[in-house]
Amino acid sequence: MTSAETAVQIFHKLENEDFRILNIIETAMAKWEFVPLEQIHKYAKIPLERVTYTLEKLDKLNLTYRTRGAYTGYTLNYAGYDCLAINTLLKAKIITSFGQTLGVGKEADVYDALNPSGTRIAIKFHRLGRISFRQTRRKRGYIKEHSSWLFQSHLAAEKEFQALKRAYEHGVSVPQPLSQNRHVIAMGMIEGGELSRYKDIGDTGEVLQELLCNVKKTYLKAQLIHADLSEYNLILQPDGHILIIDWPQAVKTDHQNAKELLERDLKNVLNFFNRKFNLKLTLEDAYRYVTGEAKKLPL
Ligand SMILES: Nc1ncnc2c1ncn2[C@@H]1O[C@H](COP(=O)(O)OP(=O)(O)O)[C@@H](O)[C@H]1O
Ligand SMILES: [Mg+2]
């Protein structure tokens, strides 16, 4: 079970005081790797027995991790961080209920949820460090950098949301950005599958043309470079049109490695079309087109 599934399942068991304690740990994690019990007690302003009772409950539910070294301290697990984000999205009426897993990627889990008007939307939980997190935990108990992974995931969600908004506003085909909290973003639900999964995509020249037209809009209008473009982050919708997803790595076009990153994105896509559909286009032609030097593609 992924941590968001854990979070969704146990969410209804949590009461206000549980959220308060989770919140206190979250805030104090800026300062402490493991937040000492005394600190939690100090900020909670409730009797110690109630603090320890709550901490015991959170620990049993696997929302926190406890260390008993020189002192007893607590840190949030991803599931605890998930609960805080879910609670905020519910309170802000972005979502009313949670559904099923839509995709489990290397660095994110995506779920579906309902918004107050009953429309399905997608919720993406960023999970940086998950792999190294598991491996290190197996090797030496627990990793020190854990709290910084939560922070990095928060940053990734912020970056992705900003990039999505910019791209969306400039008419690039992307999921509609709806909201962001902590390491989570809410966006419009998309249909279809990753381009990598299809054997037959119809008119390959047209698909590539449409894709590069979107890369051009991203570059010239939104002034962004996706920087993680590949057949795994391109969705072919049932109507045959494409969407570009997964934007946390996006950079501005004035980034010092902009040219290199744009070239890498283009190479990934061109290699894929060449390898899979035997469609050939040179990097130079694609580059000239997306940067506006050439009006048309020789396709
Ligand atoms: N808005 C969405 N609607 C439906 N499914 C989505 C949506 N965004 C992502 N997915 C699914 O989740 C998978 C992983 O999402 P992605 O943003 O690529 O994250 P990562 O690759 O970093 O794990 C996608 O390949 C896709 O299958
Ligand atoms: Mg992806």
Side-chain angles (χ1 to χ4, degrees):
M1 199 158 46
T2 65
S3 62
E5 280 167 334
T6 310
V8 169
Q9 275 197 4
I10 58 173
F11 189 81
H12 66 274
K13 292 185 186 156
L14 300 181
E15 293 155 73
N16 282 343
E17 207 148 290
D18 302 326
F19 284 113
R20 264 200 60 210
I21 299 290
L22 284 173
N23 248 314
I24 288 168
I25 299 175
E26 179 192 32
T27 309
M29 276 168 71
K31 211 163 146 198
W32 281 279
E33 186 66 42
F34 290 95
V35 185
L37 176 60
E38 298 80 68
Q39 285 299 323
I40 300 172
H41 180 216
K42 185 175 138 200
Y43 289 112
K45 299 191 177 84
I46 50 173
L48 185 63
E49 312 89 73
R50 264 164 61 201
V51 177
T52 50
Y53 170 83
T54 302
L55 286 169
E56 197 62 40
K57 174 177 171 185
L58 297 176
D59 204 56
K60 277 216 185 85
L61 291 171
N62 247 324
L63 302 181
T64 55
Y65 182 83
R66 174 163 51 190
T67 171
R68 292 193 193 278
Y71 65 92
T72 304
Y74 296 82
T75 190
L76 291 183
N77 281 335
Y78 262 121
Y81 203 38
D82 292 351
C83 281
L84 286 172
I86 292 169
N87 195 35
T88 305
L89 292 176
L90 283 167
K91 281 204 169 140
K93 299 204 162 43
I94 306 292
I95 57 173
T96 53
S97 67
F98 248 87
Q100 304 294 319
T101 307
L102 297 173
V104 176
K106 216 169 64 196
E107 298 195 312
D109 297 333
V110 183
Y111 291 82
D112 75 344
L114 291 180
N115 74 4
S117 48
T119 308
R120 283 174 78 209
I121 61 171
I123 309 291
K124 175 172 176 178
F125 293 80
H126 282 264
R127 301 253 186 260
L128 292 180
R130 173 166 58 189
I131 291 163
S132 59
F133 182 51
R134 278 205 200 117
Q135 283 166 351
T136 343
R137 183 148 59 172
R138 224 175 294 132
K139 268 190 231 139
R140 50 182 166 99
Y142 200 75
I143 54 160
K144 241 185 129 220
E145 312 82 35
H146 173 61
S147 62
S148 94
W149 284 125
L150 297 189
F151 180 68
Q152 295 299 325
S153 295
H154 180 175
L155 280 184
E158 272 177 355
K159 277 196 67 186
E160 175 161 35
F161 192 65
Q162 290 309 323
L164 263 183
K165 274 205 303 200
R166 255 184 104 90
Y168 187 79
E169 279 159 14
H170 288 94
V172 182
S173 284
V174 296
Q176 183 183 7
L178 299 173
S179 186
Q180 179 257 323
N181 183 263
R182 295 181 172 84
H183 60 318
V184 174
I185 64 174
M187 60 185 146
M189 174 68 80
I190 56 175
E191 283 183 50
E194 294 89 353
L195 204 52
S196 60
R197 294 207 245 145
Y198 291 85
K199 286 207 171 72
D200 180 5
I201 60 166
D203 186 335
T204 50
E206 221 165 85
V207 177
L208 182 57
Q209 165 83 49
E210 183 180 323
L211 167 59
L212 293 178
C213 177
N214 275 286
V215 176
K216 179 178 192 154
K217 256 189 224 164
T218 306
Y219 188 83
L220 291 179
K221 298 210 170 129
Q223 297 187 328
L224 288 174
I225 296 162
H226 183 284
D228 191 22
L229 207 61
S230 77
E231 61 272 30
Y232 304 103
N233 287 330
L234 294 168
I235 301 289
L236 188 66
Q237 302 178 98
D239 64 6
H241 291 292
I242 59 117
L243 274 172
I244 308 178
I245 62 166
D246 205 0
W247 290 77
Q249 324 237 40
V251 297
K252 292 264 176 69
T253 46
D254 61 5
H255 187 274
Q256 54 176 355
N257 302 117
K259 186 164 194 282
E260 210 179 304
L261 292 167
L262 179 59
E263 281 179 355
R264 193 180 68 189
D265 275 357
L266 291 172
K267 264 188 221 158
N268 287 344
V269 167
L270 296 176
N271 284 343
F272 171 73
F273 275 84
N274 184 10
R275 198 172 67 236
K276 193 143 177 190
F277 305 116
N278 199 27
L279 181 65
K280 291 180 177 39
L281 179 70
T282 65
L283 176 62
E284 203 197 339
D285 283 334
Y287 191 89
R288 280 165 50 82
Y289 173 72
V290 300
T291 54
E293 258 181 73
K295 288 269 161 297
K296 277 189 176 161
L297 280 169
L299 275 174

